[in-house]
Amino acid sequence: DAGVIQSPRHEVTEMGQEVTLRCKPISGHDYLFWYRQTMMRGLELLIYFNNNVPIDDSGMPEDRFSAKMPNASFSTLKIQPSEPRDSAVYFCASSFGAGSTETQYFGPGTRLLVL
Amino acid sequence: AQSVSQHNHHVILSEAASLELGCNYSYGGTVNLFWYVQYPGQHLQLLLKYFSGDPLVKGIKGFEAEFIKSKFSFNLRKPSVQWSDTAEYFCAVNPGPNNAGNMLTFGGGTRLMVKP
């Protein structure tokens, strides 16, 4: 299996622009997670989906952030408009099963820089 | 809300030294515990996990961790580190066994540098 795939790997944009990050989970996994990693705040869970349905989005920082999962093999995280404080590495992870012992498999991340 | 604390933010060791990274959590119920590693420029990978049974868990690359319920701790250890262990290490917790989801709460991470 190719693992969790994220694109783009790097994104540089200007403040005010829309940014869309993409994730393809491991085939067969029914949970998908979006995390943000910064030096100041560490690794934070933004939102997660189960069977394409958003379950908990309490970590989404504000209305500028939105996430969708139109099907089992694709999810997007959108920031509109972007701001410099959104600069971070965004990770997508997936797992299989509802058990809390299940391992989450992380993608390589998207390194976002908002100028 | 549960929280995870990793008190050592940066650790510098020489090769062959022993390693112990601390992890404490605040959740009072049954928990599942994980250690993830992030090598420079790479994504997070699972090192080991504990959910039941022997509280001493062995993971990949010679790492192990011990769950001490009375201390709410899950410290990571390795008897002899190598330069290739230079990475950031994250402890993570989720409540079990009736957790409706699979949410992980991560600690702030510990950056380990191993000098050759």
Side-chain angles (χ1 to χ4, degrees):
Chain A
D1 198 311
V4 176
I5 299 172
Q6 290 185 249
S7 64
R9 294 292 306 276
H10 297 88
E11 177 81 30
V12 180
T13 191
E14 292 187 342
M15 182 173 64
Q17 296 298 306
E18 177 179 295
V19 175
T20 299
L21 311 181
R22 297 173 177 80
C23 175
K24 178 177 168 39
I26 292 173
S27 177
H29 282 190
D30 54 354
Y31 280 84
L32 184 139
F33 307 81
W34 281 101
Y35 291 90
R36 178 172 66 176
Q37 185 180 37
T38 62
M39 289 291 291
M40 293 297 294
R41 301 173 68 91
L43 200 60
E44 306 172 277
L45 176 66
L46 299 177
I47 184 171
Y48 80 96
F49 296 82
N50 176 220
N51 291 324
N52 314 338
V53 176
I55 302 300
D56 190 325
D57 66 354
S58 59
M60 295 285 262
E62 48 199 272
D63 291 345
R64 297 184 297 106
F65 284 69
S66 62
K68 294 182 180 180
M69 193 165 185
N71 57 61
S73 59
F74 184 65
S75 176
T76 59
L77 178 68
K78 187 175 292 187
I79 309 172
Q80 166 63 17
S82 58
E83 295 182 4
R85 61 193 167 119
D86 301 330
S87 298
V89 182
Y90 291 81
F91 287 102
C92 176
S94 70
S95 68
F96 173 72
S100 52
T101 62
E102 299 302 329
T103 300
Q104 291 185 20
Y105 294 86
F106 284 76
T110 295
R111 192 172 292 272
L112 173 66
L113 177 61
V114 183
L115 301 174
Chain B
Q2 59 188 359
S3 65
V4 181
S5 298
Q6 292 181 243
H7 302 293
N8 308 107
H9 299 295
H10 293 88
V11 173
I12 301 174
L13 295 173
S14 298
E15 276 195 313
S18 64
L19 170 71
E20 181 160 1
L21 302 182
C23 173
N24 289 91
Y25 60 92
S26 64
Y27 188 73
T30 303
V31 291
N32 301 301
L33 300 153
F34 303 76
W35 275 98
Y36 281 83
V37 60
Q38 186 177 26
Y39 296 104
Q42 297 188 29
H43 59 282
L44 277 81
Q45 305 169 46
L46 182 71
L47 265 184
L48 49 80
K49 64 181 180 181
Y50 170 82
F51 50 94
S52 67
D54 188 343
L56 184 62
V57 181
K58 296 199 182 294
I60 61 171
K61 303 187 180 186
F63 285 91
E64 64 180 31
E66 184 174 14
F67 170 53
I68 303 179
K69 189 174 181 179
S70 60
K71 295 184 178 180
F72 298 89
S73 70
F74 189 56
N75 292 355
L76 181 72
R77 300 195 293 247
K78 185 171 184 178
S80 175
V81 294
Q82 301 172 306
W83 176 78
S84 57
D85 294 324
T86 294
E88 189 161 13
Y89 293 81
F90 293 91
C91 181
V93 173
N94 70 16
N98 298 317
N99 182 20
N102 199 2
M103 292 175 60
L104 286 176
T105 300
F106 281 87
T110 298
R111 286 182 183 268
L112 171 66
M113 179 183 291
V114 180
K115 298 184 293 184

